[in-house]
Amino acid sequence: MGPLEDPLPRSASRTPESVWDYPRPPVMREDDRDVRVECAGQVVAETRRAVRILETSHPPVFYIPPQDVRTALLFPAVSGRTWCEWKGPAQYWDVIVGDDVRARAAWSYPRPEPGYAPLADFFAFYPSRMDRCTVDGVQVMAQEGDFYGGWITAEVRGPFKGAPGTQLW
């Protein structure tokens, strides 16, 4: 996999994307839209420098650079490491705002495989475990299921993997 592909300019019209047109292995695309994550009344992350991962049958996952994340609200999860055949070993994070604990609500790749090196230490968030995740002010829908953390936006079309009965797709 080569370097990140150029992002669409913010003024560019976003045409519908079918997740079935996304490649395997997944590709990384820079995204300069405003990506925001909120939990328990706090903004946990906000950036215009996200990286979207596009993989066949999955809504995109937005990865946010660590300098745009309130990392003081993230704590290593007690359990839970997974391994992605493309990106390598993932680390999970609890998001804690005051007394509000969202277990394993975020993940990162501290040492991704070489083809995904730009993701090192970026954070991805499960929209289903946050109060609100938005792209350019529009709330996203969470990908169904508890394994994948895709963000469904207006331009993304399914059907999406993750719902019951889709595991073997």
Side-chain angles (χ1 to χ4, degrees), residues 40-107:
Q42 298 290 316
V43 175
V44 175
E46 187 166 15
T47 193
R48 288 193 178 277
R49 300 178 295 160
V51 173
R52 285 191 317 154
I53 295 292
L54 309 178
E55 181 177 358
T56 304
S57 77
H58 300 281
V61 174
F62 286 79
Y63 286 80
I64 301 173
Q67 58 270 34
D68 296 337
V69 176
R70 292 181 59 196
T71 56
L73 301 176
L74 275 58
F75 297 85
V78 174
S79 65
R81 285 196 171 258
T82 58
W83 182 81
C84 171
E85 64 185 306
W86 314 111
K87 297 180 285 295
Q91 178 176 1
Y92 287 84
W93 300 88
D94 296 341
V95 176
I96 303 176
V97 180
D99 293 333
D100 193 328
V101 177
R102 310 290 174 96
R104 293 174 44 100
W107 72 96

